[in-house]
């Protein structure tokens, strides 16, 4: 049954990408959503991230929370007046009591956003906050995204116990998640789980991350905030030649949402107790989000091949070019 649905879907999908620029073709494509289970990996995240963007655009398109942030005399009454006007215009044929109830619901959500933005002050990572974060991490402070275990030297540098410590760069770097090419990569940084630019504030929003994960995450929250195509570079993992690298933000997004080893036989390794690695689920598929898998060191099929000399890994990443359609 699934194959029948997939076959219909393939038949109805134009192979000519110029159709992506024709409105009639877009209308046709939008009437045929991809069948469930089309994507073997990460389908819930790939759908949820798309829906989350639609939802944000829907809410903010109705009424932009940033209109009320600066002027603190503006309250939910002001928001409601604006939202109601928009709802009346957009849904004029709906009963009035339903329009009012709907506008109230929307206004409450928008007001929450307004308040988040108002409170939003980047919690400067004071030494006390850093100390708290390290203490909360227990005996093995790790990156909350990839599970990389920080060295004692990195902890000392982070807490400024010793001034001017330069961290020792690793000799070998995981080519798929190239942490360690730059010294920032292996430092400890304070990550805003929800980026400040996206309304994240407060101490609960802070976590320890390695510099590589933190810089690769940036202010992005959705898989669609990153390029849709992987960077291109040619390299070999064992006997398999690869033509693309996993986009660093895909790696971060999938690691942070999976947070555990996905070995088919089951595994107790999580981001809290082990470093996790990204790899294509199948070497014949491209390293894109429908084919990327998380493994612990023990179950990683590329454990013997993914580590390259630092200079070689650097060259592979320096060589990358955006793939062209
Ligand atoms: Zn990390
Ligand atoms: Zn495992």
């Amino acid at each position: 049954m699934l194959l029948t649905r997939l076959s219909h879907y393939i038949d109805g999908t134009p192979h000519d990408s110029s159709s992506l620029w024709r409105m009639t073709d877009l209308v046709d494509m939008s009437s045929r959503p991809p069948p469930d289970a089309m994507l073997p990996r990460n389908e819930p995240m790939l759908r949820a991230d798309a829906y989350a963007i639609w939802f944000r655009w829907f809410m903010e398109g109705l009424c932009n929370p940033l209109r009320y942030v600066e002027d603190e005399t503006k309250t939910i009454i002001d928001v409601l007046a604006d939202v109601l006007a928009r709802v009346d215009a957009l849904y004029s044929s709906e009963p009035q009591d339903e329009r009012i109830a709907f506008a109230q619901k929307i206004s409450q959500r928008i007001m929450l956003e307004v308040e988040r933005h108002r409170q939003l002050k980047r919690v400067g990572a004071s030494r006390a906050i850093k100390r708290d974060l390290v203490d909360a991490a227990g005996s093995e402070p790790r990156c909350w995204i990839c599970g990389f275990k920080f060295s004692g030297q990195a902890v000392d540098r982070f807490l400024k116990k010793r001034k001017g410590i330069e961290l020792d760069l690793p000799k070998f770097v995981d080519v798929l998640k190239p942490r360690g090419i730059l010294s920032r990569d292996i430092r400890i940084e304070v990550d805003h789980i929800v980026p400040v630019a996206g309304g994240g504030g407060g101490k609960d929003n802070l976590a320890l991350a390695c510099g590589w994960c933190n810089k690769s995450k940036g202010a992005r929250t959705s898989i669609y905030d990153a390029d849709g195509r992987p960077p291109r570079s040619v390299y070999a993992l064992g006997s398999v030649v690869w033509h693309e690298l996993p986009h660093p933000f895909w790696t971060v997004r999938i690691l942070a949402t999976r947070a555990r080893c996905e070995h088919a036989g089951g595994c107790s390794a999580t981001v809290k107790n082990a470093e996790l690695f990204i790899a294509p689920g199948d070497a014949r598929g491209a390293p894109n989000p429908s084919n990327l898998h998380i493994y612990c060191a023990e179950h990683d099929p590329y454990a013997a091949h993914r580590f390259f000399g630092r200079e070689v890994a650097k060259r592979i990443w320096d060589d990358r070019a955006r793939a062209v359609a």
Side-chain angles (χ1 to χ4, degrees):
M1 278 307 281
L2 172 61
L3 289 186
T4 311
R5 287 199 303 274
L6 277 173
S7 290
H8 284 312
Y9 188 69
I10 291 168
D11 290 342
T13 301
H15 53 79
D16 163 18
S17 58
S18 69
S19 64
L20 293 172
W21 295 93
R22 278 195 295 270
M23 196 56 190
T24 46
D25 288 338
L26 293 184
V27 170
D28 183 49
M29 282 167 72
S30 71
S31 69
R32 293 177 302 99
D36 286 346
M38 180 170 85
L39 302 163
R41 309 258 179 247
N42 304 309
E43 183 161 281
M45 181 195 67
L46 290 167
R47 286 184 188 271
D49 278 10
Y51 301 164
I53 286 189
W54 293 0
F55 185 71
R56 194 173 77 230
W57 288 344
F58 162 63
M59 298 291 269
E60 294 178 359
L62 268 177
C63 187
N64 187 352
L66 296 182
R67 280 163 49 87
Y68 314 97
V69 172
E70 295 282 307
D71 182 353
E72 300 221 1
T73 65
K74 299 274 191 196
T75 67
I76 192 162
I77 307 290
D78 302 287
V79 176
L80 181 58
D82 289 341
V83 171
L84 195 53
R86 295 261 13 234
V87 168
D88 283 345
L90 282 168
Y91 310 106
S92 55
S93 58
E94 299 295 314
Q96 193 191 24
D97 56 336
E98 287 184 25
R99 293 202 304 263
I100 293 171
F102 184 66
Q104 284 170 333
K105 190 182 287 270
I106 300 254
S107 302
Q108 283 162 2
R109 283 292 193 101
I110 289 176
M111 203 56 210
L112 285 177
E113 265 313 278
V114 172
E115 275 156 13
R116 255 218 310 264
H117 279 283
R118 282 181 183 163
Q119 287 159 14
L120 183 141
K121 289 189 182 76
R122 184 175 274 270
V123 180
S126 67
R127 196 180 293 193
I129 287 175
K130 290 178 172 178
R131 178 83 259 170
D132 286 353
L133 287 167
V134 169
D135 287 347
S139 57
E140 286 194 347
R142 291 175 181 274
C143 171
W144 82 271
I145 294 170
C146 71
F148 172 65
K149 190 173 151 191
F150 300 121
S151 67
Q153 198 187 27
V155 173
D156 285 352
R157 186 186 191 284
F158 180 64
L159 297 174
K160 296 215 169 52
K161 276 191 188 157
R162 287 157 53 202
K163 284 216 168 84
I165 307 170
E166 262 320 306
L167 303 180
D168 301 327
L169 285 173
K171 281 202 174 62
F172 297 97
V173 169
D174 171 6
V175 75
L176 299 175
K177 185 183 69 181
R179 182 194 41 241
I181 291 177
L182 302 172
S183 62
R184 175 186 174 176
D185 298 349
I186 54 173
R187 281 185 209 156
I188 306 180
E189 296 187 357
V190 177
D191 177 35
H192 291 73
I193 298 172
V194 178
V196 171
K203 213 168 146 186
D204 293 346
N205 190 40
L206 302 179
L208 300 179
C210 70
W212 186 85
C213 285
N214 201 24
K215 79 178 178 193
S216 302
K217 179 167 170 269
R220 292 179 279 222
T221 53
S222 156
I223 196 99
Y224 304 108
D225 289 341
D227 292 339
R229 293 175 189 278
R232 253 191 208 180
S233 200
V234 178
Y235 57 100
L237 293 179
S239 58
V240 183
V241 175
W242 292 87
H243 302 273
E244 289 161 322
L245 293 154
H247 191 294
F249 182 69
W250 298 347
T251 298
V252 163
R253 182 90 183 106
I254 295 168
L255 277 166
T257 50
R258 281 288 154 129
R260 58 171 54 252
C261 173
E262 295 182 89
H263 176 59
C267 176
S268 60
T270 74
V271 74
K272 302 237 187 267
N273 60 29
E275 182 173 357
L276 300 175
F277 299 89
I278 194 131
D282 192 293
R284 288 160 293 199
N288 73 31
S290 84
N291 186 35
L292 285 169
H293 219 118
I294 305 294
Y295 298 100
C296 69
E298 188 190 335
H299 294 123
D300 172 19
Y302 299 101
H305 306 296
R306 68 167 65 232
F307 285 94
F308 285 56
R310 191 172 68 246
E311 286 306 316
V312 179
K314 179 176 185 309
R315 201 167 60 238
I316 291 168
W317 279 86
D318 286 348
D319 281 352
R320 71 191 184 276
R322 273 286 304 281
V324 287

